[in-house]
Amino acid sequence: MVDDFGYECVGADGGESYETPNLDKMAEHGMRFTDCYSMPLCTPSRVQIMTGKYNVRNYNTFAKLERDQITFGNLLQSNGYATCIAGKWQLGKESDSAQHFGFDESLLWQQSGGRTRKGTPFDSRYPNPELDTNGNFKRYNEGEFGPDLTLDFVLNFMRKNKERPFFVYYPMILTHCPFSATPDSEEWDPNSLGSKTYFGEKQFFGDMVGYVDKNVGLILGELSKLGLSDNTLVLFTGDNGTDKPIVSMLNGEPYKGGKGDTNAHGTHVPLIAYWPGKIQPGVNGDLIDFSDFLPTLCQAAGVAIPKDLTIDGRSFLPQLLGEKGDPREWSYSWYKDKTRDNKIFAWAMDHRYKLYQSGDFYDLQNDLLEEHPIASKDLDPQARQAKAQLQQVIDHYAAIDKHAK
């Protein structure tokens, strides 16, 4: 799961601004989904993907996952899987937080440390980073690059556990700002202590996308070397839309990053599934949201979800295996926007229409950026029926919203 990486960044999805040969090959030989939606911001997406629950049930505070929650790590670990997480955490500063949520091994940025380090540099995740290994904090100072360290951690974990079932969750540090040179950039400085500005230099975003693609290729290559490709499901996605300073080209049109926005530019993310010999290559238009990953992973691993564990997701494993499955007719989101004084946004959407709890209703087919809400008096019969169905979804979740009580 790449950080701040929208649908428009992948060549196979119609992106034209960046070279993504490994992702394109993954899509060619796997299944590419055209309609996967995250939350608009990082922590809400991380809470939802790990627990299979909509944020209305279990999200309280930015940068925290409540300790009473059960994650896909817990479920797979308790059923015999070796488990690993590497990359960005942002879910609790306790030294045992990753282990508490079901991960045997962890190498994480933003666990005990934060965005900034002491002194003037603004960031601590890229050159000479500050990371926690299994809860133990360390400052690196020999020219290391944070994404290289986390990738090596993942690859070593795979090698160590090649004889047993393993689960790796890799929430990449890339491509979140500050946009910075990578070791493959001419401007790479191994002595740097990080960007001194929040956004960095946006001309490096393409280099960062290239580094993501390179890392994906290294992971797939390692699976092949270990002889595990045919027995491993690999899922690739982004945690929310690309950050706003970045404008890319998608299918011949400019596409501005919309991180933090509730429209498609903030929530439409790539989803590619790769499992040689199991997945019939193709393109799938089913509606997928981040609550669907937990049941998909559990079904693929043969892990039963406890009957007393309420989730909102639906497994899309049947679709991966060439079956119709049980595709969702709608997706729901509850979003507490820390960038706007914790204002609450709630909405339900289908393939064409989107209804907010506020009553604003949009035809996404003709108004992707939600600039022109449709008045009730102007609805045709199809839109009126869709609005009524989406209202039922909103009413259902409003009734269980613990935040409103």
Side-chain angles (χ1 to χ4, degrees), residues 339-359:
T339 68
R340 284 179 272 191
D341 297 322
N342 290 322
K343 183 178 179 180
I344 304 298
F345 295 85
W347 66 90
M349 60 182 286
D350 60 22
H351 280 289
R352 178 170 180 177
Y353 297 101
K354 185 171 182 179
L355 175 65
Y356 284 83
Q357 190 163 308
S358 64

Side-chain angles (χ1 to χ4, degrees), residues 1 52 82 90 108 110 117 182 248 253 271 323 331 349 358:
M1 184 175 75
Q90 200 184 65
L108 298 169
Q110 213 173 44
R117 64 183 102 218
T182 76
S248 310
E253 299 290 337
L271 172 57
E323 304 165 15
S331 173
M349 60 182 286
S358 64

Side-chain angles (χ1 to χ4, degrees), residues 43-111:
T43 300
S45 284
R46 291 160 203 278
V47 170
Q48 186 161 312
I49 201 171
M50 291 177 70
T51 65
K53 298 181 179 184
Y54 290 138
N55 284 183
V56 68
R57 297 187 187 274
N58 64 352
Y59 182 90
N60 289 323
T61 306
F62 191 79
K64 184 173 179 60
L65 174 59
E66 298 298 335
R67 300 267 291 189
D68 62 352
Q69 293 302 299
I70 302 297
T71 75
F72 47 32
N74 295 122
L75 294 174
L76 290 166
Q77 182 188 59
S78 64
N79 282 272
Y81 273 71
T83 55
C84 169
I85 181 172
K88 178 179 174 180
W89 182 238
Q90 200 184 65
L91 294 171
K93 291 185 176 295
E94 301 89 348
S95 62
D96 72 334
S97 54
Q99 283 63 45
H100 176 83
F101 289 114
F103 296 98
D104 299 321
E105 297 188 38
S106 60
L107 178 62
L108 298 169
W109 178 77
Q110 213 173 44
Q111 184 177 355

Side-chain angles (χ1 to χ4, degrees), residues 52 64 92 221 225 232 248 329 334 337 349 381 388:
K64 184 173 179 60
K225 288 179 189 175
T232 305
S248 310
E329 296 178 356
W334 182 98
D337 187 352
M349 60 182 286

Side-chain angles (χ1 to χ4, degrees), residues 174-219:
L174 293 161
T175 56
H176 196 291
C177 70
F179 310 120
S180 306
T182 76
D184 289 347
S185 306
E186 291 183 7
E187 298 86 350
W188 167 250
D189 178 7
N191 297 311
S192 170
L193 291 179
S195 174
K196 294 179 174 62
T197 64
Y198 177 80
F199 283 118
E201 304 294 334
K202 65 181 180 180
Q203 70 265 25
F204 291 121
F205 182 73
D207 289 3
M208 297 169 85
V209 173
Y211 220 80
V212 166
D213 186 79
K214 174 183 173 179
N215 285 357
V216 169
L218 290 170
I219 290 172

Side-chain angles (χ1 to χ4, degrees), residues 1-7 9-10 13 23 26 31 33 35-39 45-46 49-50 72 169-172 174-175 212 216 234-241 267-274 288-290 293 297 316:
M1 184 175 75
V2 189
D3 200 0
D4 295 357
F5 190 89
Y7 185 81
C9 293
V10 178
D13 287 327
L23 288 170
M26 187 178 171
M31 183 169 288
F33 287 82
D35 288 271
C36 178
Y37 291 88
S38 66
M39 297 301 291
S45 284
R46 291 160 203 278
I49 201 171
M50 291 177 70
F72 47 32
Y169 176 37
Y170 185 28
M172 288 187 179
L174 293 161
T175 56
V212 166
V216 169
V234 182
L235 300 175
F236 175 90
T237 191
D239 72 337
N240 48 247
T267 60
H268 189 198
V269 292
L271 172 57
I272 303 171
Y274 180 78
I288 306 291
D289 71 34
F290 266 30
F293 283 74
L297 292 168
F316 53 87

